Amino acid sequence: MNAPLNLERLRPQIDHRHLDALEEEAIYILREVAGSFERTALLFSGGKDSCVVLRLAEKAFKRRQADGVYAGRLPFSLMHVDTGHNFPEVIAFRDALAAGSPDTFIIAHLEDSIRRGSVRLGHALESRNAHQSVALLEAIEKHRFDCLIGGARRDEEKARAKERIFSHRDQFGQWLPKEQRPELWSLFNTRVRPGEHFRAFPISNWTELDVWLYIAREAIALPDLYYSHARQVVRRKGLLVPLGPVTPPQDDECVETIRVRFRTVGDMTCTCPVQSEAASAMDVIAETLTATLSERGATRMDDRTSDASMERRKKEGYF
């Protein structure tokens, strides 16, 4: 049996050269976006990936002061799609960040789409995750965005694995896998016709481990739910389902309180934690090194409906 991994002892020896290369590529992509499009927004979910993209954007466009704070403004807005079923910890984190930032935050509320009738729910507790696409596309039309920056990565899920860094969307917001543009030698085709837009993914080539190594190196703040905490859950279809007002237990389920953390953050009705004692970024890195399931495979109910569920949602305008 191998000895337990002691990352604190290994930390001074961790080679950051691959992170430097990934950071350089991401900053290049972000500056390419700023130079190619007129109306851009950074999709900020409050998740770890969008927090990393935000830090990269700060490095690309702001000035780092002696105290480590980045001064100045980004050349684009930040936008969050609020489903009304987000985790309270994420909303509190978003609001605190927005209150202390000079950048413009746009909130697209799914409740507004429900009131307009463009989203119709089958029942009050239905998952709103897939319906985010409608609120997102309505916000794109309202603000006339021609490019949205997102934190999606290729290692998350197979539909994302085959999407380009600069992802073209037609006039209906659809992603057409067979009509993707080639990206050879980091040459990006950003030509956009009226009504169309792009999604740009600066950390597409990063892995979950790269993200956590970068969070540890840069001391990036995250919502508390990314680290170990006690939470009431039920075990359902091999997942730990977190309990809350929109995710009540079923009659035959046993409620447990265990220590968990979230590997990914989405709508409360479809995102599950994993059992964990990881209380810091370095602890999470140690767990990630030994994980045998992908973060979405271990935590997302919405990806289990079919093998092509993510690709279908992306064709409909999803992130």
Side-chain angles (χ1 to χ4, degrees):
M1 184 174 179
N2 293 331
L5 190 62
N6 189 332
L7 275 178
E8 287 303 327
R9 291 181 60 184
L10 290 175
R11 190 170 187 169
Q13 303 174 40
I14 294 177
D15 188 341
H16 288 280
R17 283 179 294 182
H18 81 289
L19 282 184
D20 294 337
L22 289 170
E23 180 189 71
E24 182 179 348
E25 178 191 58
I27 289 174
Y28 169 74
I29 292 166
L30 286 164
R31 288 174 175 166
E32 188 77 1
V33 169
S36 302
F37 299 98
E38 296 180 358
R39 300 182 67 84
T40 303
L42 191 159
L43 288 170
F44 185 80
S45 68
K48 65 183 186 309
D49 299 316
S50 59
C51 288
V52 165
V53 174
L54 178 58
R55 171 57 54 85
L56 291 163
E58 289 175 334
K59 286 196 170 189
F61 301 109
K62 292 188 177 183
R63 184 183 71 260
R64 191 172 190 271
Q65 302 177 134
D67 58 2
V69 176
Y70 287 86
R73 300 189 62 169
L74 297 176
F76 37 71
S77 307
L78 286 83
M79 184 168 76
H80 180 232
V81 178
D82 189 333
T83 68
H85 285 176
N86 300 97
F87 287 96
E89 295 95 331
V90 173
I91 298 301
F93 181 85
R94 178 202 70 190
D95 291 345
L97 185 68
S101 172
D103 299 310
T104 303
F105 269 79
I106 297 170
I107 312 291
H109 293 278
L110 188 61
E111 291 287 351
D112 293 338
S113 301
I114 295 172
R115 279 193 288 272
R116 283 191 290 267
S118 49
V119 170
R120 295 185 179 180
L121 301 176
H123 55 87
L125 299 185
E126 178 184 341
S127 174
R128 299 182 174 187
N129 191 54
H131 296 304
Q132 291 182 82
S133 303
V134 176
L136 175 63
L137 293 175
E138 289 176 346
I140 291 170
E141 182 177 8
K142 176 182 177 181
H143 297 282
R144 296 183 291 113
F145 290 128
D146 54 7
C147 185
L148 296 174
I149 301 165
R153 309 188 322 269
R154 287 194 169 111
D155 78 324
E156 289 181 80
E157 200 276 338
K158 51 193 172 186
R160 287 183 166 169
K162 65 182 182 183
E163 190 170 13
R164 302 284 194 264
I165 291 175
F166 279 76
S167 181
H168 174 261
R169 303 299 173 107
D170 68 12
Q171 64 270 37
F172 303 107
Q174 299 176 111
W175 172 58
L176 303 175
K178 294 182 179 178
E179 296 187 10
Q180 295 187 95
R181 297 171 178 177
E183 294 182 336
L184 303 175
W185 305 292
S186 298
L187 295 174
F188 304 112
N189 183 342
T190 57
R191 183 178 179 184
V192 59
R193 290 183 285 267
E196 300 175 342
H197 70 275
F198 272 80
R199 309 285 173 87
F201 305 112
I203 62 169
S204 183
N205 290 331
W206 296 41
T207 65
E208 182 186 13
L209 181 60
D210 294 329
V211 167
W212 276 107
L213 285 169
Y214 196 72
I215 288 168
R217 188 180 86 169
E218 300 289 320
I220 296 174
L222 297 178
D224 293 340
L225 48 67
Y226 272 108
Y227 300 108
S228 181
H229 59 283
R231 185 174 288 264
Q232 283 193 321
V233 300
V234 294
R235 299 179 190 272
R236 188 181 301 166
K237 298 180 181 178
L239 296 171
L240 300 175
V241 177
L243 299 183
V246 297
T247 53
Q250 297 174 3
D251 292 339
D252 58 344
E253 290 178 328
C254 177
V255 177
E256 302 175 63
T257 300
I258 60 175
R259 294 200 69 80
V260 298
R261 70 174 176 88
F262 287 82
R263 291 177 66 183
T264 182
V265 167
D267 199 67
M268 269 193 293
T269 55
C270 67
T271 310
C272 298
V274 294
Q275 195 160 359
S276 173
E277 295 291 336
S280 69
M282 292 304 289
D283 292 341
V284 176
I285 289 169
E287 286 192 353
T288 306
L289 283 169
T290 57
T292 56
L293 283 176
S294 72
E295 63 193 279
R296 294 193 72 92
T299 63
R300 297 300 290 257
M301 288 184 276
D302 50 337
D303 290 347
R304 296 190 168 196
T305 53
S306 78
D307 286 344
S309 56
M310 173 63 85
E311 181 160 331
R312 176 178 52 77
R313 293 201 301 273
K314 290 182 81 68
K315 287 178 180 176
E316 293 171 351
Y318 196 70
F319 305 109

